[in-house]
Amino acid sequence: MQFFKNINRLLSDPEKRFDLFVAFPRFYKLFLNQRLHFLWQRFLVVILLVLIVAGLFGPQDPARNGMLYLCWGLWWPMVILSLFFVGRMWCGVCPFPVAGRFLKACRLSLEKTVPKLIIKNSTGIAVIFFMLIIWVEESTGMKDSPKETAWLLIVIWAGATFCALLFANQSWCQYFCPLGKLMGIGASISWIEFRPDHSSCRQCTTYACYKGTEQLSGCPVSLGAVKVTNNLKCLVCGHCLQLCPHNSPQLNVRHPLSELIIRKGKLITCTMLVPFLMGSQLARFMDQNIFNLMDRIELVCLYDWVCQMGLYAVPLVIGFILVHVIISYGDLFFGIYHDELMGRFSPMIPVVLPLAFAGELVSRLNYTFRNLPDFIPTLGRQFGWETLERLTFTIPEWVYPTYGVFFIFLSEIAGLYLLQKFFVEECEGIVPLWKYRAIQVAFFALFGVYLCLMSTGWHIPSINIMLLFQ
Ligand code: SF4
Ligand code: SF4
Ligand code: SF4
């Protein structure tokens, strides 16, 4: 009962926090115990190796190789979904940095400092990596190719290991990982945040969370609890818990939109990645609906992947331009797009961010649900267990609009709430009412585009908006 009262208090006040480490000391011990993280990570390394081997050397027919579903249908969508509930906790057990850490422990790393030029442009580099992945993933049919999927995993793993060989700390996670950047964005609307207790940090003289001690190195991404101010960069690995002499780190439950309200679009990662992410989602929905975009592109290109990538760039660019125009239009009407301290920022980014997250989730869950009934039979075909062939089932068509509409409406309400909050509290008297209404219209237009493109993938004519016009 007390728990629900606390949740209610959190929802009514974005400033309120509720420390899980204090409320559940066992939870604190779980985080403090790094052996558990260590075991999880090693277990996930084994899974990663199995997936790569299955992708490279297993059957290449997608109906006979279960690694595709494990990667695209389970692992990635579950990581995206988990962001909302536990933030970037996946990064705390992610297997990609393990090989690099092992090489560092063997003193094989050059431990160089990352050049300033790279640091300055790291967000742009990660965004380009991310766009490349989406572009190749969608236009070459990677989700149907075990070998390509395995190569993607190898490239990310190699990137993390190479950076560990060259640079100090987990520089891949800190600057370049495209998955990490996306997760940071998702985690900014999480219920959970990892933060320091500033009153404890004020008495601190060691800053061990950041610098480390003689026995233990400091934060792997050069943060340390003391410097964590948002959910974008901290891996929530819990490493600094054992370093802090004052029990400062807290794991707070909070209002999921509080970070967006506090930051108001001053997060450069979000400003750069969100329009690309949303643009790519519009293109992806066109593939998952009655347009069957990739089938048409494949027919035109006769399965030539260079041609496919070229043609697929067109809807990607159109999607990006559409989102960018709506965001810029909103920024223009807000009249605030430059801050003396923070530089250029976009108040529209936090408004559309929940929609970007919901779109990503729905697009990934579409793959999960469409392919779930065939997963066990696929394993049966892969390992020659014919009895598994019968373990299939059908997912009723109403499931797709149910979760699709649920997540998109939820994000729409979140966006409207943020819009109203900025209009009433942050820009009180600055933005005229008619401009506020105009921004609302633009936001609804974006919402309409999402719903329209998504709904054409639901084989339910009565709610299929596009079919009504056919
Ligand atoms: S940033 Fe990337 S490589 Fe690093 S822990 Fe997170 S997902 Fe793994
Ligand atoms: S988190 Fe702990 S170690 Fe880091 S500055 Fe605060 S009190 Fe010091
Ligand atoms: S601040 Fe602490 S929890 Fe966050 S990444 Fe650094 S060591 Fe891990």
Side-chain angles (χ1 to χ4, degrees):
M1 206 57 194
Q2 184 60 33
F3 178 76
F4 288 111
K5 273 188 191 161
N6 283 333
I7 295 290
N8 197 22
R9 256 185 246 142
L10 290 174
L11 285 177
S12 53
D13 183 0
E15 300 284 329
K16 278 250 169 340
R17 297 292 185 270
F18 166 61
D19 186 359
L20 284 176
F21 285 161
V22 173
F24 306 102
R26 279 196 180 174
F27 212 56
Y28 178 79
K29 282 190 190 143
L30 211 70
F31 261 77
L32 193 62
N33 183 356
Q34 287 291 297
R35 269 181 64 80
L36 209 65
H37 273 80
F38 177 86
L39 288 175
W40 258 110
Q41 243 174 356
R42 277 19 177 208
F43 170 69
L44 289 168
V45 168
V46 174
I47 302 277
L48 182 61
L49 280 170
V50 169
L51 290 176
I52 289 176
V53 170
L56 291 180
F57 306 108
Q60 292 305 304
D61 176 0
R64 308 182 81 82
N65 197 329
M67 72 83 71
L68 285 174
Y69 189 75
L70 289 173
C71 283
W72 299 108
L74 281 182
W75 169 61
W76 191 225
M78 289 312 119
V79 169
I80 303 261
L81 188 62
S82 75
L83 294 172
F84 183 64
F85 298 102
V86 294
R88 277 184 77 169
M89 277 190 200
W90 161 261
C91 285
V93 291
C94 172
F96 292 122
V98 171
R101 245 185 270 149
F102 175 72
L103 294 174
K104 275 180 188 290
C106 299
R107 300 188 183 278
L108 289 173
S109 168
L110 297 177
E111 299 289 332
K112 297 223 178 271
T113 314
V114 181
K116 281 207 176 89
L117 188 71
I118 297 186
I119 295 179
K120 204 172 157 211
N121 297 299
S122 62
T123 306
I125 296 171
V127 170
I128 291 171
F129 273 156
F130 179 77
M131 279 318 293
L132 265 176
I133 292 177
I134 295 277
W135 190 17
V136 175
E137 172 194 323
E138 295 299 322
S139 62
T140 62
M142 190 186 271
K143 287 201 216 92
D144 286 331
S145 166
K147 209 167 251 174
E148 275 185 47
T149 302
W151 274 112
L152 175 65
L153 297 176
I154 292 172
V155 167
I156 297 173
W157 205 357
T161 311
F162 179 70
C163 283
L165 269 177
L166 214 57
F167 302 122
N169 295 327
Q170 273 175 227
S171 51
W172 172 260
C173 305
Q174 198 174 351
Y175 299 116
F176 309 113
C177 180
L179 312 182
K181 295 282 179 213
L182 178 68
M183 284 188 215
I185 289 183
S188 60
I189 51 168
S190 169
W191 278 97
I192 296 282
E193 64 174 25
F194 185 85
R195 296 287 188 275
D197 170 11
H198 289 291
S199 58
S200 303
C201 291
R202 273 194 283 274
Q203 323 155 15
C204 189
T205 51
T206 60
Y207 293 96
C209 60
Y210 164 64
K211 294 181 184 166
T213 59
E214 274 180 20
Q215 294 80 30
L216 278 174
S217 58
C219 169
V221 288
S222 313
L223 265 178
V226 67
K227 289 201 218 160
V228 181
T229 55
N230 57 53
N231 278 8
L232 279 176
K233 291 180 183 164
C234 171
L235 309 179
V236 202
C237 63
H239 178 70
C240 53
L241 256 65
Q242 47 187 336
L243 290 165
C244 177
H246 302 291
N247 281 348
S248 168
Q250 304 172 331
L251 191 70
N252 296 325
V253 185
R254 63 173 193 187
H255 188 306
L257 300 178
S258 68
E259 192 162 321
L260 300 184
I261 294 168
I262 293 164
R263 298 272 145 196
K264 298 180 218 50
K266 292 172 193 159
L267 299 169
I268 188 72
T269 311
C270 302
T271 309
M272 288 178 88
L273 193 53
V274 165
F276 283 108
L277 183 65
M278 296 181 84
S280 79
Q281 283 161 8
L282 298 183
R284 279 182 268 165
F285 285 134
M286 283 179 73
D287 188 34
Q288 294 165 3
N289 65 13
I290 53 169
F291 293 118
N292 283 329
L293 188 65
M294 268 319 292
D295 286 355
R296 288 168 196 243
I297 289 179
E298 278 167 358
L299 279 181
V300 172
C301 290
L302 300 173
Y303 298 93
D304 176 86
W305 67 269
V306 178
C307 167
Q308 284 176 201
M309 282 186 71
L311 278 188
Y312 195 78
V314 178
L316 273 182
V317 171
I318 293 175
F320 169 70
I321 291 175
L322 181 75
V323 176
H324 184 70
V325 165
I326 291 177
I327 289 175
S328 308
Y329 162 85
D331 289 346
L332 196 72
F333 273 32
F334 255 121
I336 305 162
Y337 46 87
H338 197 275
D339 181 281
E340 287 294 315
L341 285 175
M342 309 294 294
R344 191 183 184 285
F345 71 93
S346 162
M348 277 302 280
I349 292 292
V351 172
V352 297
L353 195 145
L355 187 58
F357 177 75
E360 192 60 27
L361 188 58
V362 172
S363 140
R364 299 295 170 178
L365 285 180
N366 284 347
Y367 184 97
T368 304
F369 284 108
R370 289 266 173 232
N371 294 285
L372 180 62
D374 201 40
F375 175 52
I376 303 288
T378 301
L379 287 180
R381 279 173 234 127
Q382 185 169 2
F383 297 107
W385 299 327
E386 279 173 21
T387 40
L388 295 186
E389 196 68 50
R390 273 179 269 137
L391 293 182
T392 187
F393 53 93
T394 45
I395 292 185
E397 279 300 321
W398 56 260
V399 169
Y400 302 95
T402 307
Y403 70 78
V405 167
F406 175 73
F407 287 124
I408 295 293
F409 264 103
L410 212 60
S411 67
E412 179 72 6
I413 292 167
L416 289 174
Y417 170 78
L418 288 163
L419 200 56
Q420 196 213 20
K421 195 118 186 121
F422 291 162
F423 172 67
V424 175
E425 290 173 18
E426 308 294 333
C427 312
E428 195 189 351
I430 302 174
V431 179
L433 184 66
W434 73 269
K435 284 191 176 178
Y436 169 60
R437 295 276 178 245
I439 301 169
Q440 277 183 326
V441 169
F443 184 52
F444 271 116
L446 193 57
F447 168 68
V449 172
Y450 261 73
L451 210 56
C452 185
L453 288 179
M454 279 167 58
S455 71
T456 51
W458 305 328
H459 306 307
I460 299 177
S462 56
I463 57 164
N464 191 318
I465 298 167
M466 289 302 280
L467 286 177
L468 290 178
F469 296 100
Q470 289 194 339

